[in-house]
Amino acid sequence: MSKPIGPMRSALLACAALAAGIVTASFLFKPDVENEKIELKSGTYLPQARQIPDFSLTRDDGEPFDKSQLMGQWSVIFVGFTHCPDVCPNTLGLLKTVNKKLKAQKQNLQVVFLSVDPERDNIDALKRYVDFFDPDFVGATGENEELEKLGKGVGFVYMKTPGSSAENYNMDHSAALILVNPKAQVAGYITPPLKLDELIDDFSALIPTQS
């Protein structure tokens, strides 16, 4: 059962929405249609796609992860950490179901789980965690300097909060999914509460079918 969202997390989510500049009207690049007005059931398109700054992280397989790996396909970035008690596993479980449906429809969505807890989430731990949900998901993390730079660029925030011991701390983080278009630009934000049918409808409408 999900825990109630406390004041700190609520404030973080509000800051993320403000930083992202989420608005109601929107249009965005689509592979075969330009300047088409699109409305998401599960979130908001930006009126103009937002450029992502260059960044340098590490994938869960030890290879570099940078902006080039967001090119040429639709992606969603979900920010979290492997010790997350509820929001992260619930969201990744939901995305697993979404991804299974999209694959059956021959539509490709890259799901990126971005750990903002590099202190505990080394590459091995991150890979085990991500693979549990779906081996096709991409896990990535890196130095806090790079994570903070990326956060400012795409609109997420996170904060380390004390726990019962130095090792048993928590990470408050934005819960929205960041939608990235095939030009490696932030296209919009998918906001909680996340609903399976709405996510499938939105992604099915956005992502081209592979021949």
Side-chain angles (χ1 to χ4, degrees):
M1 180 179 296
S2 297
K3 298 180 180 178
I5 296 178
M8 175 65 73
R9 184 171 294 176
S10 296
L12 284 169
L13 297 182
C15 289
L18 180 62
I22 295 177
V23 294
T24 54
S26 59
F27 64 86
L28 184 66
F29 162 84
K30 192 176 181 181
D32 56 347
V33 179
E34 292 185 355
N35 298 330
E36 180 182 0
K37 291 184 178 179
I38 299 172
E39 292 185 2
L40 296 179
K41 296 179 179 180
S42 56
T44 306
Y45 251 91
L46 300 180
Q48 183 175 354
R50 182 175 181 175
Q51 297 297 325
I52 297 178
D54 291 331
F55 62 89
S56 179
L57 299 174
T58 304
R59 290 172 54 111
D60 57 7
D61 59 4
E63 295 298 316
F65 185 77
D66 54 32
K67 191 166 69 171
S68 68
Q69 296 186 46
L70 298 174
M71 295 288 294
Q73 60 193 322
W74 285 93
S75 303
V76 288
I77 299 175
F78 176 56
V79 175
F81 62 115
T82 66
H83 288 72
C84 180
D86 42 39
V87 175
C88 299
N90 291 343
T91 301
L92 289 173
L94 186 63
L95 289 174
K96 174 182 179 179
T97 303
V98 171
N99 203 39
K100 182 178 180 180
K101 176 67 173 179
L102 293 176
K103 285 180 181 178
Q105 298 174 171
K106 297 184 178 181
Q107 293 173 298
N108 181 44
L109 175 68
Q110 178 175 233
V111 177
V112 179
F113 178 68
L114 180 61
S115 171
V116 290
D117 186 16
E119 184 176 340
R120 291 181 297 193
D121 289 348
N122 59 39
I123 297 304
D124 291 339
L126 187 57
K127 183 168 181 56
R128 286 195 302 271
Y129 187 79
V130 172
D131 283 358
F132 173 81
F133 294 97
D134 192 326
D136 287 338
F137 287 0
V138 176
T141 191
E143 299 293 333
N144 274 306
E145 181 179 357
E146 288 294 312
L147 293 170
E148 290 170 2
K149 179 175 69 174
L150 183 58
K152 291 178 182 178
V154 303
F156 70 80
V157 291
Y158 66 96
M159 180 182 296
K160 182 178 180 180
T161 58
S164 58
S165 67
E167 295 79 20
N168 187 28
Y169 56 84
N170 192 37
M171 299 295 297
D172 285 321
H173 58 87
S174 304
L177 304 179
I178 301 164
L179 181 63
V180 180
N181 69 24
K183 292 182 177 180
Q185 301 166 325
V186 176
Y189 298 88
I190 298 172
T191 50
L194 303 178
K195 298 179 181 180
L196 178 61
D197 291 344
E198 291 182 352
L199 289 172
I200 291 174
D201 286 348
D202 285 339
F203 290 134
S204 295
L206 285 171
I207 301 172
T209 301
Q210 303 296 314
S211 57

